[in-house]
Amino acid sequence: MSLIPWPYRLLALAALAVALIGFGWIRGASHVQARWDAAVQQQTLQATAVRERQAQATVKVVTEYVDRVRVVREKGDTIIKEVLVYVPVEADAACTINRGFVRLHDAAAAGELPKPAGDADAPAAGLALSAVAGTVAGNYQSCHENAEQLRALQAWVREMAATAR
């Protein structure tokens, strides 16, 4: 070793130290990158599994919703068809629907305040009681359909929350 002067020995030791540090740095970086890639792949698999469970839950909720709305529509249509059975022609002739009732009903259906009442002596609206009954039954049918839609949406939200766990 005495053949190599001290400055060159120190330079060789410094070069060896830099090489070892560089080697360690590269190995460490590749190790961290491998762990990062594994974590990303694991998250991708988990996200895919969650999306699959959400899709299945969505199909289930939509299927149930469509079935329930079909039942509501069938019942509503049956009720509307039966209006003439429960409100016969004699009841139509005996009952006059005034314009105030029509204005109030239409405003309530539109979700607005009714306009001021008109002339109290105004003639009847020319609307049959059976027509009013049919309209009310149709409105209730729509209300029940909306309720089923809300129930389905709430069930969907609960399912999405459960699948995210």
Side-chain angles (χ1 to χ4, degrees):
M1 285 290 236
S2 60
L3 296 174
I4 302 174
W6 278 104
Y8 293 117
R9 283 185 204 174
L10 290 177
L11 188 59
L13 284 174
L16 180 62
V18 168
L20 286 174
I21 290 172
F23 178 73
W25 184 279
I26 291 171
R27 289 285 294 179
S30 66
H31 176 69
V32 168
Q33 185 65 44
R35 285 180 40 206
W36 176 266
D37 291 342
V40 167
Q41 184 179 14
Q42 179 67 25
Q43 288 177 348
T44 301
L45 291 173
Q46 288 174 345
T48 301
V50 167
R51 279 195 296 271
E52 179 64 29
R53 288 193 307 266
Q54 287 176 339
Q56 290 171 351
T58 298
V59 168
K60 175 186 164 205
V61 169
V62 168
T63 302
E64 290 173 359
Y65 163 71
V66 168
D67 290 342
R68 288 194 308 247
V69 167
R70 183 181 45 78
V71 169
V72 167
R73 283 190 182 141
E74 288 173 359
K75 286 180 182 178
D77 291 344
T78 301
I79 290 170
I80 291 170
K81 286 178 189 173
E82 296 293 317
V83 164
L84 294 178
V85 172
Y86 291 98
V87 184
V89 176
E90 298 83 31
D92 277 344
C95 180
T96 58
I97 307 299
N98 68 23
R99 294 186 188 283
F101 175 85
V102 172
R103 270 194 296 273
L104 181 65
H105 179 271
D106 291 347
E112 300 172 352
L113 292 175
K115 294 182 178 146
D119 182 13
D121 293 329
L127 196 60
L129 183 61
S130 58
V132 172
T135 299
V136 170
N139 290 346
Y140 280 127
Q141 178 183 1
S142 296
C143 176
H144 290 296
E145 288 176 12
N146 290 341
E148 287 301 330
Q149 185 177 18
L150 178 59
R151 284 187 198 100
L153 180 59
Q154 290 170 334
W156 182 81
V157 168
R158 281 191 299 275
E159 290 286 334
M160 292 302 107
T163 59
R165 293 182 189 144

